Amino acid sequence: MIRTVLIADDEPNAREYLTRLISKRDDLKLLGAMKNGQEVLNFCQTMMPDILILDIEMPGVNGLEVARMLTRKSIKTTIIFSTAFDQYAIDAFNVAAIGYLLKPYGQQQLNQVIDRSLAQLMTQDRAEFSKKIQSVWEQLERKPNDHLQAIEIKEKGLIRTIPAEELIQLEADSEYVKLHTHQSVFLHRTALSLLEKQLPPYFRRVHRSFIINTNHMTSYKYLGENRFEFTMTNKMKVTSSRSYREAINQWLTK
């Protein structure tokens, strides 16, 4: 039996990569590749795929929100999350027995989770599945008591620990985040939005691609047109985007 698949990821390269992997399976038919959660919801109003592969971090309606909305209805599909989330989120998925693909993944990982999902299609209890989605949502929404104090990255086969207070700014770069310190710039494979939720409150998002450590901010100025320029202790200048003006005004005037 050929099963239908719908995928969603806001990164074009990720969509293209996943499309190639799916095309190598004779038992799957790709219905479409969406850029965000709202496109998925619009598509599912007229056609429901057997399998949904959803990125979690998408602008607007994210993957978890799509899953919550769809499981309120009587649907016969299985949902796989594609994620760059850290281990605490993966643990949540394991508890809920929901499929996931941890980026970066390959054909073998895709095949394993697809095979598991196909089996789940035959036996899935919709009420129980909805409860599991809610459980995952609550675990991911629950704020941790302690903020991230350091980031561990792999460098030349070794683990390097970078204390949070040494981070000057964080910059999104495709599937990575550039961690700027006085010593160097390190690449960390994760989502900037995930780090934003975990960092101490002295870190502030000023742009879709930038988070700054306000303790390393030496000066700032208003550029006009709802934009600010922040000068950091490493002499770099970070310009905010218009959409963050209100949030920036609030913490600058505290």
Side-chain angles (χ1 to χ4, degrees):
M1 177 184 295
I2 296 178
R3 295 288 191 172
T4 56
V5 182
L6 184 69
I7 66 176
D9 198 301
D10 62 328
E11 292 289 340
N13 291 340
R15 293 195 299 272
E16 293 173 7
Y17 177 68
L18 186 51
T19 297
R20 290 198 302 272
L21 296 187
I22 290 173
S23 69
K24 295 179 181 180
R25 290 191 58 127
D26 296 332
D27 56 349
L28 299 179
K29 177 184 177 181
L30 184 63
L31 297 179
M34 308 290 108
K35 298 189 294 293
N36 54 60
Q38 189 57 56
E39 287 188 356
V40 173
L41 294 174
N42 294 342
F43 184 96
C44 291
Q45 288 179 1
T46 56
M47 183 181 297
M48 184 63 66
D50 295 314
I51 300 171
L52 272 170
I53 303 180
L54 301 172
D55 183 25
I56 288 182
E57 288 294 326
M58 293 186 289
V61 183
N62 66 36
L64 282 172
E65 290 168 331
V66 170
R68 291 186 75 199
M69 293 177 190
L70 292 179
T71 52
R72 291 171 184 165
K73 305 176 182 180
S74 179
I75 61 172
K76 294 181 179 180
T77 189
T78 185
I79 295 173
I80 298 168
F81 290 120
S82 172
T83 177
F85 269 43
D86 176 325
Q87 186 60 41
Y88 83 89
I90 299 306
D91 288 342
F93 297 148
N94 285 334
V95 168
I98 297 169
Y100 69 88
L101 288 166
L102 179 61
K103 298 177 180 178
Y105 55 84
Q107 188 74 51
Q108 181 180 359
Q109 288 81 9
L110 174 71
N111 288 342
Q112 289 174 347
V113 75
I114 287 291
D115 291 342
R116 195 161 59 244
S117 297
L118 292 177
Q120 187 180 25
L121 280 170
M122 304 299 294
T123 58
Q124 197 171 55
D125 183 304
R126 300 314 309 169
E128 183 64 23
F129 185 63
S130 297
K131 287 170 60 178
K132 289 176 178 179
I133 284 285
Q134 184 64 31
S135 174
V136 173
W137 178 266
E138 291 173 357
Q139 290 186 55
L140 294 178
E141 285 292 288
R142 190 180 299 126
K143 294 183 179 179
N145 294 326
D146 299 318
H147 294 290
L148 190 66
Q149 299 302 314
I151 295 177
E152 291 187 349
I153 63 170
K154 291 183 179 179
E155 187 181 41
K156 298 179 180 180
L158 301 175
I159 300 297
R160 175 186 287 270
T161 301
I162 306 173
E165 62 266 22
E166 293 184 9
L167 299 172
I168 301 172
Q169 72 253 24
L170 297 85
E171 177 184 0
D173 184 9
S174 186
E175 296 180 355
Y176 293 86
V177 173
K178 290 182 178 179
L179 307 175
H180 293 260
T181 70
H182 284 296
Q183 290 74 35
S184 186
V185 178
F186 304 96
L187 283 178
H188 183 37
R189 195 180 185 102
T190 189
L192 190 65
S193 297
L194 174 61
L195 288 179
E196 180 184 13
K197 297 173 184 177
Q198 298 176 308
L199 288 167
Y202 54 83
F203 286 88
R204 296 288 181 171
R205 187 80 170 259
V206 297
H207 190 281
R208 183 178 181 183
S209 298
F210 284 98
I211 294 174
I212 65 171
N213 182 342
T214 57
N215 291 339
H216 281 279
M217 182 179 71
T218 59
S219 64
Y220 71 89
K221 64 180 178 181
Y222 181 59
L223 300 177
E225 298 183 344
N226 297 329
R227 296 180 304 130
F228 293 83
E229 181 183 82
F230 300 93
T231 302
M232 311 305 293
T233 54
N234 59 356
K235 308 302 181 184
M236 290 189 65
K237 298 182 185 297
V238 178
T239 301
S240 67
S241 59
R242 296 179 179 88
S243 58
Y244 285 89
R245 182 187 177 181
E246 183 176 347
I248 292 171
N249 274 333
Q250 289 179 359
W251 59 263
L252 284 178
T253 55
K254 281 184 179 180

